[in-house]
């Protein structure tokens, strides 16, 4: 669209310049005039399919003309264009065309003509694509539903956010190791296989996760991402996937056939249903804060520079560190993100969303997402990385969704880096120790974190308590890096003390898959890999063979006890800061570094709690400590000491304690 046309037809502005220049567009796009004229609120962007006809609608307000291209295949190298149809200009900057007949399975793209230049792009609202996501495909979504899909529900729909125990997992990591005995390694449908086991007969696969006892499985990104070539036959096509290409399309490298757009949709749904059938809710890791390639992203091709924040000098804002930042404050970007999240919740029955670098998105967008999704799915949970990022927003008065804005996003939780770094040491200074690995004078800080009383939020429903995730070192590796003087036994005790602390803390516990079996990522030279985003299966896989070793079985057993105890006791899952303040007291006059709490349910009003009180004590010191108990007899429920772990599983060997309790070095006790 030329300058004069933009001035006269779009709105009146003396500063509007050539629409080919994304720098100048960036100013125009964020004006009230542009948004008033071009904000489309309909729910039919992309295509609406029926056997009689398919209607296509695309938003391209800066285009002079738009064409629909129909292809025989989804292979971008094939010269198999069937038809090129001019679309009709319609309301609010959209173009529309209706194609008669049943064209299911047909691949398509859009071509926008802007200032006489033609650019071809995939449909931003594509539901599926051919290989590597360059051509969208018309699909009958109902035909992709697994048997019983209409009865498929979130198995934890009636529970509170604080009842969740989240297990973070990469799809390839789960099944790529042959020792797991899982068919279709690295694929969606690997999750649908039950009855798998190690050579020693220990459960692997989805049976293993079910038996562990977690409630929610957080899957690293499985929308269509750009860092893996779906056309490659290599088994080492590994990436975490934080590089979006098509937001509403399942990633093809996890499908058994990336060339047929229907297969990835079917198999992603089969995966979700398999989780639900095994009592596990599904959380999807989403990355709306940036795209794989700002210039080449479909919306930015159809509407130059609209989706991204672009600086005055023409460079992309790069708070994400990935080359570009999403302009969520613009109306049609916000609509796109909201529509996308709603689509995954509706079409794929996703039970929760983890937002990567959510601090680059604005609070209005986040609140609209939560509100819209909860209208149909009130049980869906939301959380993300609320780090304060440096990004160049395109409007005045925009508030970003960072930890400090938590009060402005009441339905959204944030990762607690105070808990993470407090337990094991800063992720940025790997030689630094944390509370469990020997740092002194941290009692006050760790007490606040345990009680979900951070400076940025005091609401346990908004605090994700964790000490390991896919980023940085695994928990065991991070402790080992800082404590090169410690032997294996001490490192394991530190690992488990950290787990006990965050797993019994107020808030929502979150763990990296494999932490319970001392997951490690070791390079060939013996050093630890701290950023394994593309390191391949050998470093990243879950090492199922370790389950046949007693050391790992013991550790797994301990984690199972922790998880079972948390699920059994409502005092660990309080929903409000008022309840926490009323019922939890930190014990005073303990040895240095030792922390203990009394949890009170003497009025018997805590939902899901049968005990009148819980006593927890944590000793990170390398010598035994003794802690005075409140009056009465106490039953030992959990102990970090290996000597007592087996006894705890035997009803006939329950230990009753009164007066005082001894806590071994680098250990903990929990009593009721």
């Amino acid at each position: 669209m030329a300058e004069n046309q933009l001035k006269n037809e779009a709105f009146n502005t003396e500063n509007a310049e050539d629409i080919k220049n994304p720098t100048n567009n960036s100013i125009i796009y964020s004006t009230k005039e542009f948004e008033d004229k071009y904000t489309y609120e309909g729910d039919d962007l992309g295509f609406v399919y029926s056997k009689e006809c398919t209607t296509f609608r695309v938003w391209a307000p800066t285009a002079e003309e738009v064409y629909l291209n129909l292809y025989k295949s989804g292979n971008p190298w094939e010269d198999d264009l069937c038809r090129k149809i001019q679309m009709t200009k319609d309301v609010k900057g959209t173009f529309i065309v209706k194609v008669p007949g049943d064209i299911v399975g047909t691949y398509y793209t859009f071509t926008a003509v802007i200032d006489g230049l033609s650019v071809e792009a995939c449909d931003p609202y594509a539901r599926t694509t051919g290989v590597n996501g360059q051509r969208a495909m018309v699909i009958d979504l109902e035909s992709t539903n697994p048997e019983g899909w209409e009865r498929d529900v979130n198995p934890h729909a009636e529970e509170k956010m604080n009842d969740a125990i989240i297990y973070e997992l990469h799809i390839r990591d789960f099944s790529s190791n042959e020792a797991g005995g899982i068919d279709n390694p690295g694929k969606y449908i690997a999750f649908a296989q039950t009855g798998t086991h190690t050579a020693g007969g220990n459960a692997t696969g989805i049976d293993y996760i079910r038996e562990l006892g977690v409630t929610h499985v957080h899957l690293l990104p499985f929308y269509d991402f750009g860092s893996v070539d779906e056309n490659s036959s290599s088994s080492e096509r590994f990436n975490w996937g934080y590089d979006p290409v098509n937001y509403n399309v399942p990633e093809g490298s996890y499908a058994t056939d990336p060339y047929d757009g229907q297969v990835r949709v079917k198999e992603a749904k089969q995966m979700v249903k398999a989780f639900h059938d095994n009592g596990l809710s599904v959380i999807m890791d989403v990355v709306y804060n940036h795209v794989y390639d700002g210039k080449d992203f479909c919306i930015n091709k159809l509407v130059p520079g609209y989706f991204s924040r672009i600086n005055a000098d023409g460079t992309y804002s790069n708070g994400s560190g990935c080359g570009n930042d999403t302009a969520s404050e613009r109306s049609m970007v916000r609509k796109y993100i909201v529509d996308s999240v709603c689509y995954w919740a509706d079409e794929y029955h996703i039970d929760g969303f983890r937002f990567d670098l959510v601090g680059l998105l604005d609070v209005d967008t986040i609140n609209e997402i939560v509100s819209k999704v909860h209208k149909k799915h009130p049980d869906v949970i939301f959380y993300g990385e609320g780090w304060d990022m440096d990004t160049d927003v395109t409007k005045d008065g925009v508030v970003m969704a960072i930890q400090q804005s938590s009060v402005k996003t009441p339905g959204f939780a944030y990762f607690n880096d105070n808990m993470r770094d407090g337990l094991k040491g800063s992720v940025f200074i790997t030689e630094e120790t944390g509370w469990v690995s020997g740092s002194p004078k941290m009692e006050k800080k760790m007490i606040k974190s345990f009680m979900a009383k951070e400076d940025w939020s005091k609401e346990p429903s908004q605090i994700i308590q964790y000490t390991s995730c896919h980023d940085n070192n695994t928990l065991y590796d991070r402790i080992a890096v800082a404590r090169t003087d410690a032997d294996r036994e001490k490192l394991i005790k530190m690992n488990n003390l950290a787990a006990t602390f965050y797993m019994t803390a107020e808030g929502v516990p979150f763990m990296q898959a494999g932490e319970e079996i001392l997951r490690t990522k070791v390079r060939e030279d013996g050093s630890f890999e701290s950023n394994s985003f593309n390191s391949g299966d050998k470093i990243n896989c879950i090492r199922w063979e370790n389950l046949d070793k007693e050391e790992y079985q013991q550790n797994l057993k301990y984690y199972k006890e922790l998880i079972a105890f948390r699920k059994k006791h409502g005092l660990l899952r309080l929903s409000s800061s008022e309840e926490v303040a009323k019922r939890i007291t930190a014990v005073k006059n303990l040895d240095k570094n030792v922390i203990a709490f009394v949890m009170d349910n003497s009025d018997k009003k805590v939902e899901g709690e049968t005990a009148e009180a819980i006593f927890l004590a944590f000793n990170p010191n390398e010598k035994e400590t003794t802690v005075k108990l409140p009056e009465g007899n106490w039953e030992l429920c959990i102990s970090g000491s290996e000597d007592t772990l087996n006894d705890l599983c035997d009803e006939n060997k329950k230990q009753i304690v009164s007066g005082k309790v001894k806590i071994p070095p680098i250990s903990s006790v929990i009593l009721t």
Side-chain angles (χ1 to χ4, degrees):
M1 187 182 294
E3 177 183 348
N4 289 337
Q5 187 179 0
L6 181 63
K7 284 183 179 180
N8 296 331
E9 293 186 16
F11 56 88
N12 239 345
T13 174
E14 296 180 359
N15 296 321
E17 295 187 35
D18 195 334
I19 202 68
K20 290 185 295 183
N21 188 333
T23 305
N24 299 322
N25 295 353
S26 187
I27 300 171
I28 296 169
Y29 292 151
S30 293
T31 61
K32 183 178 184 299
E33 292 89 345
F34 186 91
E35 293 200 333
D36 285 348
K37 188 170 183 66
Y38 291 122
T39 298
Y40 181 73
E41 298 180 351
D43 61 359
D44 60 345
L45 288 168
F47 70 87
V48 177
Y49 164 78
S50 73
K51 290 185 177 181
E52 291 70 37
C53 70
T54 299
T55 302
F56 298 84
R57 186 186 293 273
V58 62
W59 186 75
T62 61
E64 295 134 22
E65 298 174 342
V66 178
Y67 294 85
L68 170 69
N69 309 300
L70 300 178
Y71 290 96
K72 184 178 180 180
S73 78
N75 305 331
W77 60 87
E78 298 284 357
D79 184 14
D80 55 3
L81 179 68
C82 299
R83 296 174 65 188
K84 185 172 184 177
I85 309 169
Q86 185 166 5
M87 302 180 74
T88 302
K89 191 173 185 178
D90 204 61
V91 298
K92 298 290 185 178
T94 64
F95 290 76
I96 190 170
V97 68
K98 182 180 292 186
V99 179
D102 188 351
I103 61 169
V104 71
T106 300
Y107 293 87
Y108 71 97
T109 62
F110 296 120
T111 295
V113 181
I114 304 170
D115 263 358
L117 299 177
S118 296
V119 60
E120 187 174 8
C122 190
D123 179 5
Y125 278 77
R127 300 318 190 192
T128 192
T129 65
V131 67
N132 284 331
Q134 294 186 44
R135 294 177 180 176
M137 190 188 91
V138 178
I139 187 170
D140 177 5
L141 288 167
E142 189 173 348
S143 71
T144 65
N145 294 342
E147 184 178 353
W149 191 241
E150 69 281 359
R151 299 184 300 277
D152 179 70
V153 295
N154 178 359
H156 298 283
E158 302 301 319
E159 298 172 11
K160 308 186 302 294
M161 174 78 171
N162 297 66
D163 293 332
I165 301 171
I166 302 171
Y167 191 73
E168 183 204 49
L169 180 64
H170 183 276
I171 287 174
R172 282 196 66 86
D173 294 356
F174 171 78
S175 56
S176 59
N177 184 353
E178 291 182 359
I182 305 170
D183 299 335
N184 298 293
K187 305 301 181 184
Y188 295 118
I189 58 174
F191 291 95
Q193 184 180 2
T194 59
T196 60
H197 53 79
T198 64
N202 290 297
T204 65
I206 201 162
D207 294 343
Y208 171 89
I209 303 176
R210 183 185 66 247
E211 292 173 10
L212 179 61
V214 296
T215 63
H216 291 65
V217 176
H218 162 159
L219 294 173
L220 267 63
F222 63 92
Y223 52 70
D224 179 49
F225 52 80
S227 53
V228 168
D229 181 5
E230 298 174 1
N231 194 41
S232 170
S233 59
S234 168
S235 63
E236 285 293 296
R237 298 179 297 166
F238 189 95
N239 202 281
W240 285 341
Y242 290 92
D243 40 17
V245 173
N246 292 295
Y247 278 107
N248 303 313
V249 177
E251 165 61 19
S253 66
Y254 298 145
T256 57
D257 183 356
Y259 301 94
D260 182 345
Q262 183 163 258
V263 173
R264 62 180 72 195
V265 176
K266 279 186 174 181
E267 292 180 349
K269 288 181 176 179
Q270 288 173 349
M271 174 185 70
V272 173
K273 189 171 187 301
F275 277 119
H276 288 173
D277 288 347
N278 282 274
L280 296 160
S281 300
V282 180
I283 295 171
M284 184 180 190
D285 202 323
V286 290
V287 187
Y288 293 105
N289 66 85
H290 73 274
V291 296
Y292 181 51
D293 185 321
K295 186 178 179 181
D296 204 41
F297 182 59
C298 52
I299 291 179
N300 282 342
K301 291 174 77 173
L302 294 168
V303 191
Y306 181 81
F307 194 80
S308 305
R309 297 175 182 138
I310 298 178
N311 301 314
D313 63 358
T315 60
Y316 284 84
S317 175
N318 190 25
S320 67
C322 299
N324 58 89
D325 299 337
T326 297
S328 63
E329 64 273 16
R330 291 181 179 145
S331 62
M332 289 300 287
V333 177
R334 177 176 297 153
K335 172 179 169 56
Y336 179 75
I337 297 172
V338 173
D339 287 351
S340 178
V341 179
C342 287
Y343 174 71
W344 284 102
D346 292 343
E347 187 63 35
Y348 288 86
H349 300 183
I350 301 299
D351 310 307
F353 295 88
R354 178 269 191 189
F355 282 70
D356 180 69
L357 299 182
V358 73
L360 292 171
L361 306 180
D362 65 283
V363 298
D364 291 337
T365 297
I366 293 302
N367 286 332
E368 188 170 337
I369 290 168
V370 174
S371 175
K372 287 285 182 66
V373 171
H374 279 174
K375 284 183 179 178
K376 290 185 179 179
H377 315 283
D379 52 292
V380 169
I381 65 176
F382 297 92
Y383 58 97
E385 294 178 300
W387 323 135
D388 191 357
M389 314 293 287
D390 184 16
T391 186
D392 298 301
V393 294
T394 66
K395 296 181 180 182
D396 294 331
V398 177
V399 179
M400 310 309 287
I402 60 177
Q403 288 175 333
Q404 289 74 16
S405 300
S406 61
V407 69
K408 299 180 184 295
T409 56
F412 195 94
Y414 298 88
F415 283 102
N416 186 6
D417 51 332
N418 290 333
M419 174 70 84
R420 178 196 70 195
D421 293 351
L423 287 173
K424 65 182 182 181
S426 169
V427 297
F428 304 110
I429 310 172
T430 53
E431 65 271 17
E432 178 182 285
T433 56
W435 175 70
V436 301
S437 48
S439 280
K441 301 179 180 180
M442 295 188 65
E443 297 95 313
K444 290 183 179 180
K445 176 180 178 179
M446 298 315 302
I447 287 170
K448 286 179 64 177
S449 289
F450 185 92
M451 296 177 70
K453 292 172 61 176
E454 303 296 352
D455 292 340
W456 50 270
S457 177
K458 295 176 176 56
E459 293 304 322
S461 60
Q462 285 192 276
I463 294 181
I464 303 295
Q465 305 282 34
Y466 77 120
T467 191
S468 74
C469 67
H470 66 279
D471 282 322
N472 312 113
N473 292 113
T474 68
L475 175 57
Y476 179 87
D477 290 353
R478 177 62 184 81
I479 295 170
V481 167
R483 287 297 306 270
T484 55
D485 61 313
D487 60 21
R488 173 78 168 173
E489 182 181 359
K490 284 184 180 178
L491 294 177
I492 292 174
K493 286 183 176 181
M494 293 172 188
N495 181 101
N496 292 349
L497 180 59
T500 311
F501 197 83
Y502 79 76
M503 192 65 74
T504 57
E506 299 303 328
V508 183
F510 172 107
M511 62 185 290
Q512 182 186 20
E515 181 192 300
E516 71 284 3
I517 48 173
L518 306 171
R519 187 175 187 177
T520 186
K521 297 183 180 182
V522 184
R523 303 186 186 102
E524 289 186 1
D525 63 3
S527 62
F528 297 115
E529 175 61 78
S530 64
N531 188 22
S532 65
F533 73 99
N534 65 350
S535 297
D537 296 335
K538 187 175 181 180
I539 283 179
N540 284 292
C541 70
I542 301 297
R543 303 186 190 283
W544 295 114
E545 66 272 17
N546 286 342
L547 293 176
D548 291 342
K549 301 172 184 177
E550 180 61 23
E551 177 185 59
Y552 296 95
Q553 275 295 327
Q554 280 291 105
N555 221 74
L556 173 60
K557 191 175 184 180
Y558 184 67
Y559 268 77
K560 286 182 177 180
E561 287 289 314
L562 284 177
I563 291 168
F565 186 83
R566 182 176 182 89
K567 293 167 75 172
K568 183 178 179 181
H569 292 281
L571 276 169
L572 308 182
R573 311 191 309 272
L574 302 176
S575 297
S576 70
S577 57
E578 291 80 10
E579 280 288 285
V580 172
K582 176 182 177 182
R583 298 189 179 278
I584 303 180
T585 304
V587 179
K588 297 180 180 180
N589 301 318
L590 303 172
D591 286 346
K592 289 182 179 180
N593 306 320
V594 178
I595 296 174
F597 301 93
V598 178
M599 297 182 170
D600 177 33
N601 184 38
S602 55
D603 61 3
K604 300 182 180 180
K605 290 185 178 180
V606 175
E607 183 181 353
E609 184 58 76
T610 57
E612 290 191 14
I614 299 176
F615 187 87
L616 310 95
F618 308 91
N619 176 25
N621 298 324
E622 296 190 20
K623 62 179 181 179
E624 183 180 86
T625 189
T626 300
V627 176
K628 183 179 179 181
L629 292 171
E631 291 185 7
N633 293 327
W634 294 83
E635 181 182 293
L636 183 62
C637 298
I638 297 283
S639 171
S641 169
E642 294 180 7
D643 296 335
T644 61
L645 180 59
N646 289 326
D647 291 346
L648 298 177
C649 301
D650 187 340
E651 288 293 334
N652 298 318
K653 294 184 180 180
K654 292 297 184 183
Q655 298 183 31
I656 303 301
V657 184
S658 62
K660 296 179 181 180
V661 63
K662 291 182 179 180
I663 311 174
I666 318 174
S667 188
S668 59
V669 294
I670 304 174
L671 308 99
T672 58

